[in-house]
Amino acid sequence: MHAKITGLGHALPDHIVTNHDLAQVYDTSDEWITQRTGISQRRHSETETTGDLATRAAREALRMSGRESVSAVVLATATPDYRCPGTAPSVAAKLGLEDVPAFDVSAVCSGFVYALSVGASLVETGRFESVLVIGAETFSTILDPADRTTGAIFGDGAGALLLERSLTREPGTIGSATLGSNGNQADLIQIPGGGSAAAIAGADASPYFQMQGAAVFLDAVTRMEAAVRDVVDAEGWHLEDIDALVPHQANVRIINALAKQLDLPPEKAVVNIADLGNTSAASIPLALAQGSAAGRFQAGDRLILAAYGGGTTWGAIALTWPNFTSTTTAPSN
Ligand code: COA
């Protein structure tokens, strides 16, 4: 049994925050942010929660596949609507899928690759006929107003893929996956407050997202390179066979360094960070939606998704591009 992509959707909040806007708030400049990260603007949600954005993206994926229901919903997010319960059940309910299993996956910027691997496995076992896999974030809600580094990088958005059972390995099939973690590096990317650690320690810990950028940068390139090589080998492909590398959008310099390490022409990497910033678990499905809308992928193309994030966590997945009969609209709203 195989899991095949039959729908794709995305959702972005309307409010655009440019680097020039940020320069009014922090001691920063458009030049610094563009040169160090490749980001020109990002979206901040003013009215929609993570669950709202996830629902919008999922609706579009359902519409594209012509389905009204699925057997399960898996949502990757580090910015759930509530610390408890998970956000996926309320997304399922808003989609009119009250009784289906729905749960969150927490792997920060690797979240979508983790969720897609889990979702594909649910279908491949034969237990679930179809699964919605969503990555959705509102990082603007957890940014430290005093931290110009994270303030410059992160943005909000959501993307969704619909997976359905397939008996053959046709275009759109999810292939090999590799996932990993190193909890010894948990402090590289963290919200120190709000969890049991701070409560037990009685500590007055920050409720905001924190990141050790330089350490993250180096480890991200190393881990994603190894993960990509693993899945390419597992598929029996060669690196030169890859039509598109769709990496997590953390920093354009990380993406360029990854392509260089893999000896891939930089144009094979799909990059949408300039307009959206780092949308964490949403970045890969948003890049897929944008690439699809731009006609970047042909049916049967060999794609590798690769991500690195808090935990620390990382992973990569091989897939072939489906033969979509319709395309989604460009993620411009
Ligand atoms: N504007 C101006 N200066 C800034 C700035 C901003 N928005 N953010 C940081 N700086 C400053 C720092 O304070 C530091 O100043 P100092 O030398 O006086 O201390 C200087 O720029 C250099 O900081 P450094 O961290 O060495 O820069 P860098 O080249 O590593 O770039 C990141 C910083 C955060 C852009 C980069 O490390 C990165 O992208 N890391 C990964 C980010 C990520 O997305 N992680 C999420 C999970 S994958």
Side-chain angles (χ1 to χ4, degrees), residues 160-179:
L161 285 187
L162 202 143
L163 301 178
E164 291 184 48
R165 191 181 282 172
S166 166
L167 294 174
T168 55
R169 256 195 151 224
E170 50 199 284
T173 301
I174 305 296
S176 304
T178 182
L179 303 173

Side-chain angles (χ1 to χ4, degrees), residues 3-7 161-164 171-174 319-322 324:
K4 182 188 160 187
I5 302 168
T6 61
L161 285 187
L162 202 143
L163 301 178
E164 291 184 48
T173 301
I174 305 296
L319 59 89
T320 54
W321 195 246
F324 284 138

Side-chain angles (χ1 to χ4, degrees), residues 28 32 36 109 148-149 153 211 213-214 216 250-251 253 278 308:
T28 190
W32 192 96
R36 295 297 187 100
C109 297
R148 62 184 175 176
T149 306
I153 291 174
M211 174 181 79
V216 167
N251 183 322
R253 289 159 51 216
N278 179 347
Y308 177 92

